[in-house]
Amino acid sequence: KLTVEEMPASSRRYPFVGFTMDREVGKEILTVEGLSKTVDGRKVLDNVSFRVNRGDKIAFVGEDEIAKTTLFKILMEEMEPDEGTFKWGTTITTSYFPLDNSAFFNDCDLNLVEWLAQYSKDTSEFFLRGFLGRMLFSGDDVFKPVKVLSGGEKVRCMLSRMMLFGSNVLILDQPTNHLDLESITAVNKGLMDFKGVVLFASHDHEFVQTIANRVMEFVDGKLIDKMCTYDAYIAGAREEMLARLNG
């Protein structure tokens, strides 16, 4: 039996992930009408329409990765839809975590401090080092070239970049890829506590269940949209929505 004094100190280190909004969202957030897109000969989005409301934290689930990523890219104007329109509200500011972050790091000769300074209003080394320290980059780590970072370190950099923007809508495509358990826990808490709107894709069951209050899934390009938790969705709501989709 261990006494309290003999308990070893935990070596786990948790980064700090916290998103704050510079401005509250207004009534109009996002309206999507009749979006269609064919990728490599397959119609991944087929006349997709939905409206995002205040307080929505929407999990995009299911097997069709290309559909989810395509939607996010269209919403961030990185890709044109074949048909349909979307409109962001005038109060909305967005911050995007892409599935592939290589464009931010490949062939980039900047170190971590210089890289983060590109996205910060406060470019003092003191501020940036403090910010990076909360994401577990300390000492001389902050002077490493970003192109040599590991997958998990790059994800922490991308999350740091998002936190600096003060956006009221966050779009995250598989944010837990490459992260250890401690970092996943930190991202989970950060998104649970966030007061704005979140659109995210993830395969992590607990992550989705604890954050989302609305679930969307693409099946053969068609959208299933259900206002419920993920557990409720897989417990029966999905079958009901599939029947309605096919009926």
Side-chain angles (χ1 to χ4, degrees), residues 106-177:
N106 290 0
D107 304 318
C108 181
D109 294 320
L110 302 177
N111 64 37
L112 266 77
V113 171
E114 294 165 337
W115 185 89
L116 198 61
Q118 301 174 101
Y119 310 108
S120 179
K121 293 170 188 165
D122 185 340
T123 56
S124 68
E125 186 178 315
F126 176 78
F127 171 78
L128 294 168
R129 285 192 71 135
F131 205 86
L132 287 164
R134 293 191 298 176
M135 293 302 279
L136 307 185
F137 295 109
S138 56
D140 290 339
D141 281 350
V142 300
F143 299 118
K144 281 201 298 192
V146 294
K147 62 186 176 186
V148 304
L149 297 177
S150 70
E153 287 173 329
K154 287 175 181 175
V155 169
R156 297 208 308 271
C157 282
M158 293 298 288
L159 291 167
S160 296
R161 172 181 174 272
M162 289 184 80
M163 287 190 282
L164 284 168
F165 287 151
S167 303
N168 52 27
V169 174
L170 307 179
I171 300 177
L172 305 102
D173 198 350
Q174 307 288 349
T176 59
N177 288 1

